Amino acid sequence: MNITQLAIIDLGSNSARLVLYEQDQQGMLFEADNVKQVLRLSSHITQDGVLDDEGVQLTLDCLRRFKDICDGRGVTEIVGVATAAMRQAKNGPELCEAIERETGISIRILSGPEEAHYGYLAVVNTMNLRDAFTVDIGGGSTEVTWVEDRVCVHKISFPFGAVSLTQRFLKGDLPTPEELKNLEQFLREQFASAPWLTKRLRPVPLIAMGGAARNVGNMHQKKRNYSFQSLHHYTLNSADIADSYQTLVKTPLDKRKKIKGLSKDRGDIIVAGVVVFSVLLQVTGSEHFVISTKGLRDGLMFERILQGQNDNVLEDVSLYSARQWMKRDRVNSVRAEQVSRLAVSMFDQLQDLGLLQADAGQRRLLQISGLLQDIGLSINTYDAAQHTFYLLTNVLLYGLTHHQRLVTGMLASYKTDKKLEKQFSQHKDMITPAELPAIKRLAQLGLLARFFNRPLAGQVRSVQLEKRGDQILLQCRVLPKHIIDRAQVNELLEAMSKSYGQKFAYELIEVQP
Amino acid sequence: MNITQLAIIDLGSNSARLVLYEQDQQGMLFEADNVKQVLRLSSHITQDGVLDDEGVQLTLDCLRRFKDICDGRGVTEIVGVATAAMRQAKNGPELCEAIERETGISIRILSGPEEAHYGYLAVVNTMNLRDAFTVDIGGGSTEVTWVEDRVCVHKISFPFGAVSLTQRFLKGDLPTPEELKNLEQFLREQFASAPWLTKRLRPVPLIAMGGAARNVGNMHQKKRNYSFQSLHHYTLNSADIADSYQTLVKTPLDKRKKIKGLSKDRGDIIVAGVVVFSVLLQVTGSEHFVISTKGLRDGLMFERILQGQNDNVLEDVSLYSARQWMKRDRVNSVRAEQVSRLAVSMFDQLQDLGLLQADAGQRRLLQISGLLQDIGLSINTYDAAQHTFYLLTNVLLYGLTHHQRLVTGMLASYKTDKKLEKQFSQHKDMITPAELPAIKRLAQLGLLARFFNRPLAGQVRSVQLEKRGDQILLQCRVLPKHIIDRAQVNELLEAMSKSYGQKFAYELIEVQP
């Protein structure tokens, strides 16, 4: 197979990571492997601000190993970066030269704002947002950005992280009120140096990257027995963070380590992480705290994929991501695009006729679900709709909230009300019964567009909706050589008449291709 | 995308089918679409044995439509065949000429034995069998073959099918005992013309294709609330068929149509189908009745893929199928093959040392699961093991029974005992608690082979097992440039010591690449 191998190396303050990506013939990149080596470089920085000999040796050994792995895997391109520890170390540039001499790998030491910017790129290209703050807490630094209309307006890197804050402020097992007060005070002073952090007129979400954020999200999901298996784009309220804070500071370390969802090796530093989130939520006035599992490395990836176009920001995240999955799972894209187009066209006309109250968000989900109706065929033609639902609730569709991903799965896999209700019953914590009728109406539109494109994609070129007496007539411009299953369409239109409270009929008008 | 489109057209007595396959760059074929048109040609054959004008027109119209679909989809190759009705029609060859003239599609009228042979090819290339009978009941003919050591030794086509038998023998709603007796008597006489059908010394399974068989399997699965979502290779006992027979002949048509798992349009002809199965089981002495969802069309496919090699019979069905899925889901095959090899090597040595009581079947499942451990990564790196289990219990791995597919999924996705037990709890109808310890021992071997191949595939070249005092020493020949997570390996070896009742240790011996 003619596959390009790309590696990203991220030399952090706590650990070094090698991520291998494979690029297929269509140019799509997939994570193929992920190697982590804990180096704790921040603890090897002397009081004079130099990385000590042991730290240098550890780093060189690790990079040699990474080089061996890259060679063994036939990697053709390596993107290497280093963050806080190497930035702080006076001998960082010297070490980078040694690394390049010994392994040929070029490591770029990122400035604080550069590091912040890559975090922003990861978030803006994988999440559904326009305005937000982002925060990325590492071991030795914390990057914060302010995003307005998807543009990074401000960015800053603070020279403290979960590890260094813990070492400096939280000496014992259970933090004392005094310690917490000092830490909060310190953070408030630090954040004051970036006046753009203070409250907006309208609150915007705080998007959080890094291990501390992932752990906070994990704990919250375990506690409430959350039904959706995904952490990226998981949203908590500021009150949830306050709860976590209260719980964590009252739990001794040995018990903290047993909290479900919290990594054992993070029990000590999680408190400092949550204090940072808590203070930042107060300062920014944000009401929502959203986890991003994508960060620095993904930002580097997007920079490479987008090659500077549009400042490395995707114009349309969710459509881009849906099309990636469409291609990856070998969906017939000619048909899928036509199903999607037809469904959206009928949606727009129903809105114009006042028969549908829906918003742009729902329109988008209908559009995406049209592209992905056949994704389950990649698993099995038998029960393909069930597989479509499984995939859409488990693959990471970027640019959508969990609720949106769930609804997309319901729309794309819709066949019968019974199955829709079963899907609903598995996710009662995410969706209310009151939403079901609207979801069903959208799902029926998608299914109708599907029927019009089967077996011959594009046989129905367009559909014009018109009020004719007491019914809505669907005038389908259809190719002379079409095969439409009229019984199937009639049955669906009857069901639609019930759910829309409006009679539907259709006629075929032959047009030349 | 550079994809070849292939179409298979199957002009049957009851319906015509067009199946579209796409072939990707690696030469793998996937079903992309499936169009059915009910023609009921058998009811258009006159008493003089001629297909009447309406039947001719229906056929021509249908083929024109199929041609349009093929053109619209860019199909580059069409394989067309016709079966019983066209075989019986005196004007069949003439109609084929007309079809070719009008559409350019060449339809080959299969002889009875040819049709039987393609059914055999479908079964032998997708199922785990050496000796078996196969039966394929269509509307107007029934093909039977006898397979010995995977070779088709005898084949025959009978000129009756579910539709024609119903018309001739079962006139009313509820069949009378007299009618059933006459039908059975008729079938016994017919089957007597093939003396090779009579009982073997050891009973062999009867593999059944066609709609009647699929419906029998479906009904049985619904009745027992079967936990595995697959029909191909589903196995019933001869007693189950006797039960179905008794139930169906006592149920009036209107109630029959409501039986779960039975297609509405098959309520009338299912009785004749089950009588054929019942009589055939008695004649052959078969104790097992196995559903094959693969048939004629798949046989044609295999002929095209294998191009005559080894008489169009795969040497190793399950390995072939596993490697197809491995490639299709972009598993790193270098690593997967090495994991598989290492796991099997340790399996063999443990057997030689008397520490493992397992058979060739279990060895095979370990081998296959090694190839497919990473299949779940294609869905999401998050929870990849769970996705591996979902895929392996839902994709159609050929050449394995359901029980084997379930165990393969458990082996390939093994991470913790807790997850293994959860998987078991979902499939208690298929697997006994007594099997779990042996599955766990195999799963641990697979996981160890996985650890040895991470992060650098092939870093452990081979493992030699040796009894050293009271422990088994794993001597790993390892590349000088390796990265083995020793803590991970040690933890697993400790768990293995418990489940094998035998201490394990390992040492690394560096070798040159």
Side-chain angles (χ1 to χ4, degrees):
Chain A
M1 282 197 263
N2 191 10
I3 281 179
T4 310
Q5 303 263 359
L6 166 78
I8 290 190
I9 291 173
D10 167 11
L11 201 51
S13 310
N14 189 45
S15 60
R17 245 184 220 278
L18 166 67
V19 188
L20 296 174
Y21 295 88
E22 290 183 350
Q23 187 165 33
D24 71 5
Q25 286 92 340
Q26 282 84 51
M28 278 180 281
L29 280 160
F30 309 107
E31 188 174 320
D33 220 329
N34 192 321
V35 185
K36 180 180 169 180
Q37 191 151 344
V38 174
L39 297 178
R40 300 258 148 75
L41 290 192
S42 45
S43 67
H44 287 281
I45 298 203
T46 65
Q47 286 192 323
D48 307 335
V50 171
L51 188 68
D52 66 20
D53 287 351
E54 203 188 333
V56 168
Q57 273 316 312
L58 278 171
T59 307
L60 279 171
D61 284 348
C62 170
L63 266 295
R64 277 188 212 109
R65 289 179 157 193
F66 282 1
K67 179 64 163 64
D68 292 341
I69 295 176
C70 289
D71 288 349
R73 291 287 285 263
V75 164
T76 46
E77 186 184 342
I78 301 176
V79 175
V81 296
T83 54
M86 289 283 274
R87 190 154 66 222
Q88 285 159 26
K90 288 179 189 156
N91 54 342
E94 194 185 316
L95 177 53
C96 285
E97 278 172 35
I99 291 169
E100 181 145 18
R101 212 163 40 233
E102 283 215 28
T103 66
I105 296 173
S106 149
I107 299 282
R108 180 160 62 106
I109 299 178
L110 298 181
S111 71
E114 280 177 329
E115 189 178 350
H117 193 77
Y118 284 116
Y120 150 75
L121 281 185
V123 164
V124 78
N125 284 314
T126 65
M127 299 189 108
N128 178 4
L129 66 87
R130 299 208 73 80
D131 302 326
F133 292 103
T134 75
V135 57
D136 184 356
I137 311 190
S141 72
T142 297
E143 284 69 39
V144 183
T145 76
W146 157 240
V147 183
E148 206 170 41
D149 207 15
R150 303 188 73 225
V151 173
C152 181
V153 178
H154 290 291
K155 50 195 166 196
I156 189 168
S157 174
F158 296 99
F160 54 79
V163 176
S164 61
L165 290 174
T166 305
Q167 285 169 346
R168 183 165 160 196
F169 290 94
L170 309 173
K171 312 281 186 189
D173 179 340
L174 273 179
T176 66
E178 186 70 16
E179 283 177 341
L180 290 170
K181 201 182 126 199
N182 289 339
L183 172 54
E184 290 192 23
Q185 176 71 21
F186 170 79
L187 290 171
R188 251 182 259 280
E189 282 163 19
Q190 290 283 323
F191 293 144
S193 69
W196 47 269
L197 273 174
T198 48
K199 295 183 189 179
R200 307 285 115 189
L201 273 176
R202 279 173 302 124
V204 301
L206 174 64
I207 319 280
M209 291 165 270
R214 289 196 300 273
N215 275 267
V216 166
N218 255 328
M219 284 188 283
H220 194 256
Q221 288 192 343
K222 295 277 182 215
K223 197 172 124 193
R224 57 180 282 213
N225 212 357
Y226 187 55
S227 72
F228 202 72
Q229 294 204 57
S230 182
L231 193 53
H232 188 65
H233 228 311
Y234 182 64
T235 304
L236 296 86
N237 297 323
S238 50
D240 297 324
I241 299 297
D243 273 357
S244 291
Y245 185 151
Q246 289 309 322
T247 307
L248 285 169
V249 298
K250 284 178 194 151
T251 313
L253 185 57
D254 56 339
K255 286 198 178 161
R256 228 185 281 150
K257 286 184 175 178
K258 286 176 190 159
I259 296 176
K260 277 187 182 170
L262 181 60
S263 308
K264 278 177 214 157
D265 57 357
R266 199 170 279 275
D268 50 346
I269 58 173
I270 189 69
V271 176
V274 176
V275 176
V276 172
F277 297 144
S278 168
V279 173
L280 207 47
L281 283 168
Q282 288 164 27
V283 171
T284 59
S286 296
E287 292 171 1
H288 292 104
F289 181 83
V290 188
I291 316 294
S292 170
T293 62
K294 303 294 156 186
L296 173 60
R297 289 185 296 273
D298 307 275
L300 289 162
M301 278 291 314
F302 279 108
E303 181 182 55
R304 187 180 173 282
I305 295 173
L306 299 175
Q307 304 191 322
Q309 290 169 53
N310 197 33
D311 292 330
N312 297 319
V313 174
L314 289 167
E315 305 225 357
D316 193 322
V317 173
S318 58
L319 256 191
Y320 174 86
S321 180
R323 290 206 170 103
Q324 290 257 318
W325 283 107
M326 177 183 82
K327 288 180 201 154
R328 179 163 179 186
D329 281 339
R330 299 183 174 81
V331 169
N332 179 321
S333 60
V334 175
R335 171 146 73 205
E337 295 282 358
Q338 174 68 0
V339 166
S340 174
R341 206 158 30 226
L342 221 51
V344 167
S345 156
M346 293 190 284
F347 174 99
D348 290 340
Q349 295 180 68
L350 283 169
Q351 271 205 320
D352 291 346
L353 289 165
L355 290 169
L356 196 66
Q357 275 75 47
D359 58 25
Q362 289 168 304
R363 183 180 190 273
R364 165 51 57 96
L365 301 190
L366 181 64
Q367 182 183 16
I368 288 179
S369 67
L371 297 177
L372 297 171
Q373 282 178 355
D374 278 345
I375 196 172
L377 282 175
S378 65
I379 296 184
N380 206 326
T381 50
Y382 190 72
D383 280 328
Q386 180 208 302
H387 304 315
T388 293
F389 185 71
Y390 183 87
L391 286 175
L392 289 181
T393 50
N394 281 290
V395 302
L396 186 46
L397 264 184
Y398 290 148
L400 297 181
T401 65
H402 291 191
H403 183 272
Q404 289 175 321
R405 282 164 62 195
L406 174 59
V407 173
T408 301
M410 294 170 97
L411 296 181
S413 64
Y414 180 73
K415 279 174 85 179
T416 63
D417 293 354
K418 202 176 151 190
K419 282 180 182 154
L420 186 75
E421 272 150 29
K422 196 182 158 196
Q423 292 167 349
F424 161 70
S425 73
Q426 291 163 351
H427 296 283
K428 284 189 175 168
D429 55 340
M430 295 174 66
I431 208 160
T432 66
E435 296 175 74
L436 277 188
I439 292 173
K440 185 176 153 185
R441 283 191 289 271
L442 289 188
Q444 288 172 327
L445 277 188
L447 190 59
L448 187 59
R450 181 182 179 85
F451 287 168
F452 283 155
N453 276 283
R454 270 184 173 69
L456 191 54
Q459 59 183 359
V460 172
R461 313 292 295 204
S462 64
V463 180
Q464 208 76 35
L465 270 65
E466 205 185 287
K467 193 140 184 92
R468 193 75 71 80
D470 68 339
Q471 60 186 16
I472 297 295
L473 185 66
L474 288 86
Q475 296 169 300
C476 305
R477 269 155 237 288
V478 69
L479 294 181
K481 297 175 173 180
H482 66 265
I483 306 182
I484 288 179
D485 188 332
R486 285 162 186 270
Q488 205 178 38
V489 171
N490 283 328
E491 198 182 324
L492 179 57
L493 288 181
E494 205 158 302
M496 284 177 65
S497 299
K498 279 181 204 148
S499 61
Y500 281 81
Q502 165 67 52
K503 269 195 193 165
F504 286 95
Y506 78 112
E507 65 178 21
L508 302 181
I509 302 160
E510 285 194 5
V511 295
Q512 290 312 307
Chain B
M1 283 196 264
N2 190 11
I3 281 177
T4 311
Q5 302 263 0
L6 167 78
I8 290 190
I9 291 174
D10 167 10
L11 200 51
S13 311
N14 190 46
S15 61
R17 244 184 221 278
L18 166 67
V19 188
L20 296 175
Y21 296 88
E22 290 183 350
Q23 187 166 33
D24 71 6
Q25 286 94 337
Q26 283 86 50
M28 280 180 282
L29 280 160
F30 310 107
E31 189 174 319
D33 220 328
N34 192 320
V35 185
K36 181 180 170 181
Q37 191 151 346
V38 175
L39 298 177
R40 299 257 150 78
L41 291 191
S42 45
S43 67
H44 287 282
I45 297 204
T46 66
Q47 285 193 325
D48 307 334
V50 171
L51 189 69
D52 65 19
D53 287 353
E54 203 189 334
V56 167
Q57 274 316 313
L58 279 171
T59 308
L60 278 171
D61 284 348
C62 170
L63 267 295
R64 278 188 212 108
R65 287 179 158 195
F66 282 1
K67 179 63 164 60
D68 292 341
I69 295 176
C70 289
D71 287 349
R73 292 287 286 261
V75 164
T76 46
E77 187 184 341
I78 301 177
V79 175
V81 297
T83 55
M86 289 283 275
R87 189 154 67 221
Q88 285 158 28
K90 286 178 190 158
N91 54 342
E94 196 184 312
L95 177 53
C96 286
E97 277 170 35
I99 291 170
E100 181 143 20
R101 213 163 40 233
E102 284 216 25
T103 66
I105 297 174
S106 150
I107 299 281
R108 180 159 62 107
I109 300 179
L110 298 180
S111 71
E114 279 175 332
E115 189 178 350
H117 193 76
Y118 284 115
Y120 150 76
L121 281 185
V123 164
V124 78
N125 284 316
T126 64
M127 299 189 106
N128 177 4
L129 67 86
R130 299 208 73 79
D131 302 326
F133 292 104
T134 76
V135 58
D136 184 356
I137 311 192
S141 72
T142 298
E143 285 69 39
V144 183
T145 77
W146 157 238
V147 183
E148 206 170 41
D149 207 16
R150 307 189 70 226
V151 173
C152 181
V153 178
H154 291 291
K155 52 196 165 197
I156 191 168
S157 174
F158 296 99
F160 54 79
V163 176
S164 62
L165 289 173
T166 305
Q167 284 169 347
R168 182 164 162 196
F169 290 95
L170 309 173
K171 312 282 186 185
D173 179 341
L174 272 179
T176 67
E178 186 68 17
E179 284 178 340
L180 289 170
K181 202 181 123 197
N182 288 339
L183 172 54
E184 290 193 22
Q185 178 68 23
F186 169 78
L187 290 171
R188 250 180 262 281
E189 283 165 18
Q190 290 283 323
F191 292 146
S193 70
W196 47 268
L197 274 175
T198 48
K199 296 184 185 175
R200 308 284 116 190
L201 274 175
R202 278 175 302 125
V204 301
L206 174 64
I207 319 282
M209 290 163 271
R214 288 196 300 272
N215 275 267
V216 166
N218 255 330
M219 285 188 281
H220 195 255
Q221 289 191 343
K222 296 275 183 213
K223 199 172 123 192
R224 59 182 282 213
N225 210 356
Y226 188 54
S227 71
F228 202 73
Q229 293 205 59
S230 182
L231 194 52
H232 187 66
H233 226 311
Y234 183 64
T235 304
L236 295 87
N237 298 324
S238 51
D240 296 324
I241 299 298
D243 273 357
S244 290
Y245 185 151
Q246 290 308 321
T247 307
L248 286 169
V249 298
K250 283 178 196 154
T251 313
L253 185 57
D254 56 338
K255 286 198 177 162
R256 228 185 280 151
K257 287 184 175 179
K258 286 175 189 161
I259 297 177
K260 277 189 183 168
L262 182 60
S263 309
K264 277 176 215 157
D265 57 356
R266 200 170 279 276
D268 50 345
I269 58 172
I270 189 67
V271 177
V274 175
V275 176
V276 172
F277 296 145
S278 167
V279 173
L280 207 47
L281 283 169
Q282 288 164 27
V283 171
T284 58
S286 296
E287 292 171 359
H288 292 105
F289 180 84
V290 189
I291 316 296
S292 171
T293 61
K294 302 294 156 186
L296 175 59
R297 288 186 295 274
D298 307 276
L300 289 162
M301 278 292 314
F302 279 108
E303 181 182 56
R304 186 180 173 284
I305 295 172
L306 299 175
Q307 302 192 323
Q309 291 168 52
N310 197 34
D311 292 329
N312 297 319
V313 174
L314 289 168
E315 304 225 359
D316 193 322
V317 173
S318 59
L319 255 191
Y320 174 86
S321 180
R323 289 204 170 104
Q324 292 257 316
W325 283 107
M326 177 181 82
K327 286 179 202 155
R328 180 164 178 184
D329 280 339
R330 299 183 175 82
V331 171
N332 177 321
S333 61
V334 175
R335 170 147 74 203
E337 295 283 358
Q338 174 68 0
V339 165
S340 175
R341 209 160 25 230
L342 221 52
V344 167
S345 157
M346 293 190 284
F347 175 99
D348 290 340
Q349 294 179 66
L350 284 169
Q351 271 206 320
D352 291 346
L353 289 166
L355 290 169
L356 196 67
Q357 275 76 45
D359 59 24
Q362 290 168 303
R363 184 179 189 273
R364 165 50 56 98
L365 302 189
L366 181 64
Q367 182 182 17
I368 288 178
S369 67
L371 297 176
L372 297 171
Q373 283 177 355
D374 278 345
I375 195 173
L377 282 176
S378 66
I379 296 183
N380 205 326
T381 51
Y382 189 71
D383 281 327
Q386 179 208 303
H387 304 315
T388 294
F389 185 71
Y390 182 88
L391 286 174
L392 289 181
T393 51
N394 281 291
V395 302
L396 186 45
L397 264 185
Y398 289 149
L400 297 181
T401 64
H402 291 190
H403 183 272
Q404 290 175 319
R405 281 164 62 195
L406 175 58
V407 172
T408 301
M410 294 169 96
L411 296 181
S413 64
Y414 179 75
K415 277 173 88 180
T416 64
D417 293 354
K418 201 174 151 193
K419 282 180 181 154
L420 186 75
E421 271 150 31
K422 193 180 160 199
Q423 292 168 347
F424 161 70
S425 73
Q426 289 164 351
H427 295 283
K428 282 189 176 168
D429 55 340
M430 295 176 65
I431 209 161
T432 65
E435 295 174 74
L436 278 188
I439 291 173
K440 184 175 153 185
R441 283 191 290 269
L442 289 188
Q444 288 172 326
L445 277 190
L447 190 58
L448 187 58
R450 181 181 179 84
F451 288 169
F452 284 155
N453 276 282
R454 263 178 180 71
L456 192 52
Q459 59 183 359
V460 172
R461 314 294 294 204
S462 64
V463 180
Q464 207 78 35
L465 272 65
E466 206 185 284
K467 193 139 184 92
R468 195 72 74 80
D470 68 338
Q471 61 185 15
I472 298 293
L473 185 67
L474 288 87
Q475 296 168 303
C476 305
R477 265 155 240 286
V478 70
L479 293 181
K481 296 173 171 182
H482 65 266
I483 306 183
I484 288 180
D485 188 332
R486 285 163 187 268
Q488 206 177 37
V489 171
N490 282 328
E491 199 182 324
L492 179 56
L493 289 181
E494 206 160 300
M496 284 178 65
S497 299
K498 279 182 204 148
S499 62
Y500 280 83
Q502 164 69 51
K503 270 196 192 163
F504 287 95
Y506 78 111
E507 64 178 24
L508 302 180
I509 302 160
E510 286 193 5
V511 293
Q512 289 313 307

